Amino acid sequence: LLEGCLGDVPLVHFLHSLLVRSSVTYGKVLPLPALQRTLGSSQLSGIQALEEMLPAGLGSDGAQPQARDGAGTGADGGGRHRAVLSALYGASASLGEQPSMAAVVAQLSSIKAFRSQHSAPALHALREGKASDADELLVKVLDQEETALPAWELQMASAARLNALEELMSWDSLRDVLRTGVPEAASMGATALQERSLRAELGRSILEDEKAAKASLDLRLQEAAASSAVQAQSAEAIALLAAHAISIKRFDDARRLIYEGYDAFNATWHRLPLLAARARHEALSSLPLLRGLEAFLDAPSEIPPQSRPLSLQHDRFSAWADAALGKIVVARACGDQQAEAAAYAELGRRCREAGNLVAAQDMMRRCLRSRVHQDHRFFDGVMELKLCQAENSCEQLCKVVQKEADKHKDAENCLRYTLILAKVAKAGWERHKMSHEVAWQALRTARGLSEKCNVPEQGQAHARLAEFADSVLRRHEEVDGALSPGKAQQVELVDAVVTSVLAALALAKESGVDGAEVAAEAFRQAHERLPRVFELLAQFPGCSSAFEKGVKSVAPWPFLRWLPQALAHLPKVPALQGPLQDLAKHYPQALFWPLQLSSHQDVVGRRQEIFRPLWAALEKSQAPIQLAITFTKALECLTHPEKAFDGELTSFKNALVAQDHVLAKARWKHLWQRYVEVQSRDIAGSVHVEFGQRLRQRLLEYSRRLHLNLTSSELPVSELDLKTKREAWQKILTELKQPPQSRAWPNSKAPIEAFSPWLSRFDARGSWLGSAEEQLEVLGQYRGLERPDPRLHARVLRFGPQLLIMASKQKPKRLIILGSDEREHWFLVKGGEDVRLDERVEQLFGVINSFAAPDAAVGLRVRTYAVVPLLPDLGILEWVRETKPLKAIVQDVAKVKSLNEIEANRLRIEWSSRFKGQPLSRYPEIFKLPRDDIILAFRRCVAAMPASVSLKAFFWRSAVGPEAFWHTRQRFAASLAAASAACYLLGIGDRHLDNYLLCLRSAEIVPIDFGYSFGIGALLPVPELVPFRLTGFLLSALQPLAGPQAHGTFRDSLEEVMARCRARSGLLLDACALFIREPLLDWTEASRRKGNGDLDFLPKRRLRFLSQRLQGYHPALVLKEEVLDNTHQWVKDLATRANNPLEAIIAGLDPEEDPERAKVYRLGRMLSPAEQVDCLIRQATDPNVLGRAWEGWAPEI
């Protein structure tokens, strides 16, 4: 069937699906060439079928491939596997899937398949953008005739060399290689070879004016006119031929070719899989070139308008080269030398950013020769190139820029060249070759010039000044340990940061993101720097006047994103009253909830008066304050009374032990009124009334038995004297630790009126169009990333009649709000917990997502949800719909009701139970076991996991076909990578199977429950030693191509997120400063228990670990220091022992383990993002680490 249905796409797709589903049956006997020939009909499904021909354990310790055979295409497993991997490399290359290509190279290296020692380094260098190094190595590979390289390796090397030569713009070499023939011709296809040949000839013709190249192109043009051969070519090749026709003024031929190019694109487009995003993106790159050439033919005297801008990350170099060649041809035909220079400059920028400095220099020389007049963009490109080459000192370059800037008298050009001067001077300062004064003066001058002109660079001048001043301040912090308000230079720098950030925000348009790209980027940078402004104002109060003056020109909505930070800094930065009062006026319901929380005495103590002006402003705004307060009380009633009672009892106990009689009496009165009398019976339901009755009976019994007066809300002072009543109070407080229990509900569903009649009766359907006091907005609609319009926000109309009670410790409830938008809004109401940590972690996820924003479309983001803390022990969280916990997915795939029914989990529990005592008491013995015993036991458990119980099986079952499965897996890998990077940086632990949700629509991972964040996992009774969860069940979705070390999309995405976060680490740390200004109640209590008078000590220490991760410290070094804070004696003994066995486990220092891993650790240096990611993955997948993990974490799954 495969041999005879190459043109029947649906049938090919069906056969590929059959192969994926039945790989065990057919994968061993299917001829590889037959499958390869079907790739042109259905690429994505064909790739999936190819992958299924690989063994599941390829590249792992358990896979022992057979000895290498010369041909690499034999029937034996080893040769066949290499041939399949080679076919996968070619198919992934045709789709532009760089991560998959990298995974193939890693797999081939792991099974020692490459005959040439230069093959893997060459392919890696090409992927890293080092085309020159790659070409040098690939020449050695292809010249190794004596080694008799197998065909598959020759094909991969020759294909890679063609890419390298294109990247280097070595048109002569590329043409020579194509003329002599390439070993990969059979797999690559004639169409792709013709396209490259045309590109090489056109490059020589246009750039070098070579007559032989022109003659060859003329011959191709004649052949195209005389036959229909052009129809077999790609749209890109036809467009290049049309460009040549225009260059020799054969306009009729050019127009005919353009129309044929459209037809070729249409044919290609319909053959591409719908979900092959990169391949479809690359196919689209031919359209701007065709359209530009057509626009020129329609108006030969005009330069066509700018088409879709190309992307350095998503467009191949060939697309940039084609676009530049087309623009040069059109510019020459129009006689516009300046446009030709612009085309050279654009291609030069692409070469420079790709690391090809030789080609970049050639392009910039051509640009300068072609230009009619100087353009600041050309000059900027030259300076960027000079900085990359580092042949001239920055000081010399500054003189050149200054000389050029002096030639211009108009403010706009002076501003642009001054910004270039500042860029060069800043580079010199960063390289420690110059002082900061030159850049500082240039940026100050630029800021002054920006006030005289109206160009996109106006906001850029302010944003760059703020960025540079902040960088200088951070260097002062590193050197001096802290900033000093007494130093005039630092005061000047702080003033520059404050005024420049506000100026950049004020220059933004209404929405903050409209207008030119430069202006939008300046706004974004300023918006992200607001938390740093708050922090600096707290340290430098003298700069508050500058803030108060500048903030008057700024719209209030940018402060919405950073409301928690602003309110936390308000007691020390009164200047924030202005923007916060503007928020109260324009967005009162956005301010109410965080203000209610910040005003609570448990958060600010006796500093409540600072918030009174904001409450007054809210009252003037006609906001529904009383309704919101009542709503908060009603939500408090959704907490089971016995769960909330424990916290109130602890507060009373603390006051009693401290012998603070006034506070103790107040706490007792509040406890009595809320839990015994249940004063708000119109709000609280029968559950609370029944609890109060049972609690009253207990207290009356204590009064009779222990002779204490506990019969009213007023507690006599005499009853609080611990000298005479200590024993009685000890008995009471101990017994009340087990308060009366509320009734149970069948099916975990309860009527809402049982907890709060007010919520049950609430109905705003008749009044939601009335006055503002009656309109309560659905929570969580203010994100702070764009100007909100409250008129479009959904309003609360009613509440669903039933609550769903969760099974966790605090029994949170799912509440359904029926909105004015005719939708159900699902929320989780949590009582008895401080959800501020969840809110802050979600905010930090948002910051990380802003770093990865350019790739969010392919799933490289952390899926977030709204969290609104209402009180220190009450909050409401957005219910993430259409998701499922990973634990439920495991049970679903395994067809069991409990993990204990899975053999792997059962074996794990049986093994750990061999050690005597309770589960927690077993781990001191488990950690003493040698590495070999742990690995043997762990792999025995993993081997018991059925192959059918995998996330891959779940995805395949949920997908409509191979393409959908491929797309699902790609999005999952990117999402998991983003979540893993965020969890590692923020120290989020306890990633068991219930704390990851999987979106059933997008396959994105949704992290939840952040109680063990900022390194708390290392302080548990059984310390967590993994940076994130990457167990076999998760890895199964990426197999078999990813291998045990998660090569491919996951590793690439993880490296990308880590690199971006490290590049902008200051912004992430600024957002985290909130933990110091307003520490969580748990953190404050932990500091008190340790007897530390400095309540900021614990937050500062935990944020120091975050800073170390962002700097590139080895993950094992950071974890080793975190574990030292563990208070459990056996962990302390293990971590402080002379030979430090815990360090050996974490870092993999056992001589039998990977020696390269131990070598990197012992170097003790900062790691690059790629090295850091490699260490993280090795630590997360180390069986010696996973085998010692807490059994409830289920490391074997």
Side-chain angles (χ1 to χ4, degrees):
L1 283 171
L2 282 171
E3 292 284 357
C5 68
L6 299 187
D8 191 338
V9 175
L11 183 54
V12 170
H13 182 274
F14 168 74
L15 292 173
H16 287 167
S17 301
L18 183 63
L19 288 169
V20 176
R21 289 182 184 272
S22 309
S23 57
V24 176
T25 304
Y26 298 112
K28 296 179 180 179
V29 298
L30 179 69
L32 179 59
L35 178 57
Q36 282 184 274
R37 284 195 289 272
T38 67
L39 293 178
S41 301
S42 188
Q43 287 176 299
L44 280 185
S45 61
I47 285 179
Q48 298 308 302
L50 278 171
E51 280 197 31
E52 292 304 320
M53 298 172 72
L54 294 171
L58 184 65
S60 66
D61 294 339
Q64 298 295 333
Q66 298 181 21
R68 287 177 294 178
D69 61 329
T73 57
D76 63 283
R80 182 176 174 83
H81 299 158
R82 296 166 202 149
V84 171
L85 285 168
S86 174
L88 274 170
Y89 185 89
S92 300
S94 67
L95 285 176
E97 286 298 323
Q98 289 282 346
S100 298
M101 297 163 65
V104 169
V105 174
Q107 287 280 40
L108 288 168
S109 299
S110 68
I111 63 174
K112 299 179 174 56
F114 287 116
R115 182 62 59 90
S116 171
Q117 61 179 344
H118 303 298
S119 292
L123 295 170
H124 181 73
L126 180 61
R127 186 166 175 274
E128 293 293 314
K130 302 173 182 178
S132 180
D133 295 343
D135 182 56
E136 183 179 341
L137 290 169
L138 287 166
V139 169
K140 295 178 181 179
V141 173
L142 296 172
D143 285 348
Q144 289 181 341
E145 296 180 2
E146 70 280 1
T147 61
L149 294 182
W152 62 266
E153 189 169 353
L154 284 173
Q155 289 178 0
M156 290 178 66
S158 59
R161 187 163 187 236
L162 291 179
N163 288 331
L165 292 174
E166 274 193 335
E167 289 276 350
L168 293 170
M169 295 180 65
S170 299
W171 306 121
D172 280 343
S173 300
L174 179 60
R175 185 174 56 182
D176 292 342
V177 170
L178 291 170
R179 283 178 177 174
T180 56
V182 291
E184 62 140 8
S187 63
M188 186 176 184
T191 302
L193 293 176
Q194 288 176 359
E195 181 186 322
R196 288 184 164 173
S197 177
L198 270 171
R199 189 173 293 116
E201 298 286 8
L202 190 62
R204 293 296 300 170
S205 171
I206 292 176
L207 301 180
E208 304 298 336
D209 198 25
E210 185 183 278
K211 292 182 179 179
K214 289 183 178 180
S216 176
L217 289 169
D218 289 342
L219 181 60
R220 289 173 183 262
L221 194 59
Q222 291 174 7
E223 291 174 353
S227 68
S228 60
V230 70
Q231 295 177 1
Q233 296 185 13
S234 65
E236 290 85 354
I238 297 173
L240 293 172
L241 201 55
H244 173 68
I246 291 176
S247 69
I248 60 176
K249 303 189 183 304
R250 292 176 60 173
F251 297 145
D252 290 341
D253 288 338
R255 190 176 292 276
R256 175 180 56 79
L257 287 168
I258 288 170
Y259 293 152
E260 291 177 352
Y262 286 138
D263 291 339
F265 166 79
N266 191 45
T268 302
W269 184 257
H270 288 294
R271 286 198 305 268
L272 288 174
L274 288 173
L275 297 174
R278 287 187 176 92
R280 291 171 78 85
H281 179 88
E282 290 178 6
L284 286 170
S285 64
S286 63
L287 287 184
L289 177 56
L290 289 168
R291 182 67 191 96
L293 297 176
E294 185 182 19
F296 164 75
L297 294 176
D298 293 338
S301 60
E302 300 177 8
I303 297 293
Q306 179 68 30
S307 58
R308 175 183 67 90
L310 296 175
S311 163
L312 176 67
Q313 188 163 12
H314 299 297
D315 287 296
R316 290 187 185 181
F317 181 81
S318 58
W320 286 78
D322 293 348
L325 292 174
K327 289 176 181 178
I328 293 169
V329 166
V330 170
R332 288 180 180 177
C334 294
D336 191 332
Q337 290 183 276
Q338 195 71 10
E340 182 179 350
Y344 286 128
E346 185 178 345
L347 188 56
R349 178 174 70 88
R350 170 62 175 81
C351 293
R352 183 190 74 244
E353 292 178 346
N356 185 5
L357 301 185
V358 175
Q361 181 170 330
D362 179 50
M363 290 299 105
M364 294 313 300
R365 283 176 177 171
R366 292 174 185 273
C367 168
L368 297 180
R369 286 200 300 264
S370 301
R371 65 178 180 180
V372 177
H373 56 81
Q374 180 63 288
D375 187 304
H376 71 279
R377 288 167 293 190
F378 301 164
F379 192 83
D380 187 29
V382 172
M383 288 299 110
E384 289 273 14
L385 178 62
K386 293 292 184 183
L387 288 173
C388 292
Q389 292 174 327
E391 295 175 355
N392 305 95
S393 68
C394 292
E395 192 172 355
Q396 291 174 324
L397 295 177
C398 285
K399 293 179 181 178
V400 174
V401 181
Q402 185 64 63
K403 184 177 180 181
E404 183 65 30
D406 293 341
K407 297 178 183 178
H408 301 273
K409 304 302 179 184
D410 60 298
E412 292 185 3
N413 278 311
C414 279
L415 169 61
R416 287 163 175 155
Y417 283 97
T418 304
L419 286 174
I420 297 173
L421 174 62
K423 182 194 299 183
V424 176
K426 181 187 174 187
W429 175 77
E430 290 174 342
R431 298 173 185 179
H432 300 275
K433 301 294 184 182
M434 298 176 61
S435 71
H436 76 278
E437 291 297 332
V438 178
W440 172 244
Q441 291 301 328
L443 287 167
R444 292 184 64 187
T445 302
R447 183 174 64 175
L449 290 168
S450 69
E451 297 172 358
K452 302 177 183 178
C453 54
N454 185 20
V455 291
E457 288 85 358
Q458 190 177 8
Q460 189 182 54
H462 292 286
R464 286 192 182 178
L465 178 58
E467 179 190 11
F468 181 70
D470 192 20
S471 299
V472 177
L473 285 169
R474 291 183 191 277
R475 186 174 289 185
H476 280 300
E477 283 182 300
E478 291 175 6
V479 174
D480 302 334
L483 297 177
S484 172
K487 295 183 178 180
Q489 185 188 60
Q490 292 184 11
V491 172
E492 187 180 18
L493 290 167
V494 171
D495 186 78
V497 173
V498 172
T499 55
S500 296
V501 165
L502 295 176
L505 292 174
L507 286 170
K509 292 191 175 183
E510 287 290 317
S511 66
V513 294
D514 292 339
E517 184 179 347
V518 173
E521 177 65 15
F523 173 84
R524 184 189 60 76
Q525 292 178 7
H527 195 197
E528 290 177 344
R529 213 171 292 279
L530 270 178
R532 176 63 168 173
V533 170
F534 303 158
E535 189 66 28
L536 291 174
L537 287 174
Q539 298 179 59
F540 293 79
C543 296
S544 294
S545 57
F547 177 84
E548 291 173 341
K549 180 180 178 181
V551 80
K552 293 178 181 178
S553 304
V554 179
W557 71 263
F559 291 86
L560 287 172
R561 183 182 182 187
W562 308 113
L563 254 180
Q565 282 84 354
L567 290 169
H569 282 90
L570 183 60
K572 289 190 176 181
V573 188
L576 288 169
Q577 283 281 2
L580 290 174
Q581 291 199 27
D582 286 342
L583 284 178
K585 179 180 178 182
H586 293 93
Y587 312 105
Q589 295 201 48
L591 178 64
F592 174 82
W593 307 110
L595 181 59
Q596 177 181 251
L597 173 68
S598 295
S599 302
H600 198 279
Q601 62 179 3
D602 287 343
V603 177
V604 297
R606 301 184 184 334
R607 297 174 294 170
Q608 293 178 328
E609 64 277 359
I610 195 73
F611 298 113
R612 286 176 185 165
L614 296 179
W615 284 111
L618 280 178
E619 291 175 359
K620 291 180 181 178
S621 70
Q622 301 298 309
I625 296 178
Q626 290 305 318
L627 181 60
I629 291 174
T630 305
F631 178 55
T632 303
K633 292 179 179 178
L635 291 181
E636 278 190 286
C637 294
L638 297 188
T639 303
H640 274 65
E642 64 269 22
K643 301 299 180 182
F645 177 76
D646 184 63
E648 297 283 358
L649 185 66
T650 301
S651 299
F652 168 74
K653 176 184 176 182
N654 292 337
L656 178 66
V657 172
Q659 286 293 275
D660 186 341
H661 291 170
V662 175
L663 181 59
K665 283 172 63 67
R667 295 289 191 188
W668 177 263
K669 184 175 183 179
H670 177 72
L671 184 150
W672 183 277
Q673 291 176 345
R674 180 175 175 183
Y675 296 101
V676 180
E677 293 180 351
V678 193
Q679 288 186 341
S680 303
R681 297 200 178 191
D682 58 328
I683 299 177
S686 59
V687 170
H688 298 272
V689 174
E690 293 169 3
F691 177 83
Q693 292 171 351
R694 289 195 290 269
L695 182 60
R696 183 191 293 269
Q697 293 174 358
R698 272 217 200 174
L699 293 177
L700 291 175
E701 180 190 348
Y702 295 150
S703 297
R704 289 192 300 268
R705 181 160 51 94
L706 301 173
H707 309 292
L708 283 176
N709 184 6
L710 307 178
T711 58
S712 70
S713 61
E714 295 298 333
L715 193 62
V717 175
S718 59
E719 304 292 353
L720 297 173
D721 188 2
L722 291 183
K723 293 180 181 178
T724 58
K725 308 288 186 179
R726 179 180 297 276
E727 186 177 348
W729 277 114
Q730 283 179 344
K731 290 181 179 179
I732 292 171
L733 293 174
T734 301
E735 291 186 22
L736 285 178
K737 277 292 183 181
Q738 300 294 327
Q741 296 298 303
S742 303
R743 68 176 111 158
W745 301 94
N747 301 322
S748 299
K749 291 183 179 179
I752 194 171
E753 63 264 26
F755 286 88
S756 176
W758 186 89
L759 290 175
S760 176
R761 294 192 304 266
F762 184 87
D763 192 343
R765 284 177 293 181
S767 60
W768 71 277
L769 291 175
S771 63
E773 290 94 337
E774 299 172 331
Q775 299 179 22
L776 189 65
E777 295 179 10
V778 175
L779 284 74
Q781 298 183 82
Y782 292 94
R783 302 286 181 169
L785 299 176
E786 57 186 5
R787 177 187 287 274
D789 187 351
R791 297 172 300 177
L792 303 178
H793 285 183
R795 311 285 171 169
V796 177
L797 294 186
R798 288 183 300 154
F799 299 95
Q802 276 193 327
L803 299 170
L804 180 65
I805 303 174
M806 302 292 108
S808 54
K809 178 183 176 182
Q810 295 295 333
K811 296 185 179 179
K813 318 292 187 298
R814 187 188 69 189
L815 173 69
I816 298 178
I817 297 178
L818 307 178
S820 59
D821 57 352
E822 301 184 358
R823 292 175 55 203
E824 290 186 354
H825 300 267
W826 293 12
F827 290 95
L828 184 69
V829 181
K830 279 190 171 185
E833 297 182 50
D834 188 354
V835 302
R836 285 182 297 164
L837 178 59
D838 297 71
E839 178 204 31
R840 294 172 185 183
V841 168
E842 290 294 329
Q843 186 188 56
L844 295 174
F845 283 169
V847 174
I848 292 172
N849 284 342
S850 69
F851 300 160
D855 298 305
V858 294
L860 191 57
R861 64 166 185 167
V862 187
R863 178 77 175 270
T864 60
Y865 52 87
V867 179
V868 183
L870 306 176
L871 295 172
D873 59 349
L874 178 68
I876 189 166
L877 295 78
E878 177 187 359
W879 185 280
V880 188
R881 302 176 75 170
E882 297 187 277
T883 59
K884 208 172 194 178
L886 285 180
K887 180 179 178 180
I889 292 175
V890 173
Q891 293 173 177
D892 182 23
V893 177
K895 299 179 181 178
V896 298
K897 295 182 179 180
S898 170
L899 292 183
N900 295 335
E901 299 178 43
I902 299 176
E903 181 69 9
N905 186 256
R906 188 181 61 79
L907 287 175
R908 167 73 182 184
I909 295 175
E910 285 181 1
W911 175 79
S912 63
S913 63
R914 295 176 187 175
F915 302 90
K916 296 180 181 179
Q918 295 297 317
L920 284 177
S921 63
R922 301 168 186 166
Y923 282 84
E925 297 300 320
I926 291 176
F927 269 74
K928 292 178 183 177
L929 291 177
R931 169 182 176 271
D932 290 344
D933 291 357
I934 291 290
I935 292 179
L936 181 64
F938 180 73
R939 285 184 172 163
R940 177 171 169 262
C941 297
V942 171
M945 191 78 170
S948 59
V949 182
S950 67
L951 190 56
K952 181 178 181 179
F954 177 80
F955 283 152
W956 176 249
R957 190 181 70 185
S958 306
V960 295
E963 283 96 344
F965 170 70
W966 181 87
H967 182 72
T968 297
R969 189 170 62 169
Q970 295 295 95
R971 288 191 67 88
F972 167 76
S975 173
L976 179 64
S980 299
C983 288
Y984 169 66
L985 290 174
L986 302 180
I988 299 173
D990 196 31
R991 295 298 89 197
H992 56 73
L993 292 169
D994 269 328
N995 279 347
Y996 269 147
L997 304 180
L998 182 70
C999 180
L1000 302 179
R1001 294 188 63 184
S1002 64
E1004 290 179 302
I1005 282 289
V1006 188
I1008 62 171
D1009 194 354
F1010 311 114
Y1012 295 95
S1013 298
F1014 293 93
I1016 301 298
L1019 311 183
L1020 293 173
V1022 180
E1024 287 193 357
L1025 306 182
V1026 291
F1028 43 73
R1029 187 179 191 94
L1030 192 61
T1031 52
F1033 188 74
L1034 293 174
L1035 276 173
S1036 70
L1038 314 177
Q1039 301 306 337
L1041 194 57
Q1045 294 302 312
H1047 289 280
T1049 302
F1050 175 83
R1051 180 181 283 258
D1052 285 11
S1053 300
L1054 183 61
E1055 184 178 336
E1056 185 69 24
V1057 176
M1058 292 295 297
R1060 294 189 184 192
C1061 290
R1062 288 177 56 174
R1064 299 164 72 180
S1065 59
L1067 299 176
L1068 193 58
L1069 289 170
D1070 292 341
C1072 289
L1074 175 63
F1075 288 96
I1076 298 175
R1077 292 293 170 187
E1078 190 181 281
L1080 299 169
L1081 300 182
D1082 291 345
W1083 291 20
T1084 304
E1085 186 61 29
S1087 294
R1088 289 195 181 103
R1089 284 199 303 268
K1090 291 185 176 182
N1092 196 320
D1094 182 10
L1095 298 184
D1096 294 345
F1097 171 77
L1098 189 58
K1100 287 179 180 177
R1101 180 165 175 77
R1102 291 181 180 170
L1103 294 187
R1104 182 166 66 84
F1105 294 138
L1106 169 59
S1107 177
Q1108 290 176 350
R1109 296 184 186 102
L1110 288 167
Q1111 292 176 55
Y1113 278 65
H1114 195 291
L1117 281 174
V1118 180
L1119 180 59
K1120 184 180 75 169
E1121 189 174 352
E1122 284 181 321
V1123 171
L1124 292 177
D1125 290 340
N1126 196 302
T1127 58
H1128 298 87
Q1129 193 58 46
W1130 76 269
V1131 180
K1132 275 188 172 183
D1133 294 342
L1134 199 65
T1136 55
R1137 197 176 298 170
N1139 59 348
N1140 202 337
L1142 191 60
E1143 179 184 21
I1145 295 170
I1146 297 170
L1149 300 183
D1150 193 292
E1152 297 182 18
E1153 291 196 51
D1154 186 357
E1156 193 64 29
R1157 178 182 173 193
K1159 178 182 177 183
V1160 172
Y1161 177 78
R1162 289 194 173 100
L1163 288 175
R1165 59 175 175 82
M1166 300 298 181
L1167 305 178
S1168 69
E1171 292 172 326
Q1172 190 177 22
V1173 164
D1174 186 69
C1175 291
L1176 287 170
I1177 292 176
R1178 290 180 184 276
Q1179 187 174 330
T1181 57
D1182 186 354
N1184 190 32
V1185 172
L1186 293 172
R1188 303 174 198 267
W1190 168 244
E1191 60 192 52
W1193 200 77
E1196 70 282 352
I1197 298 178

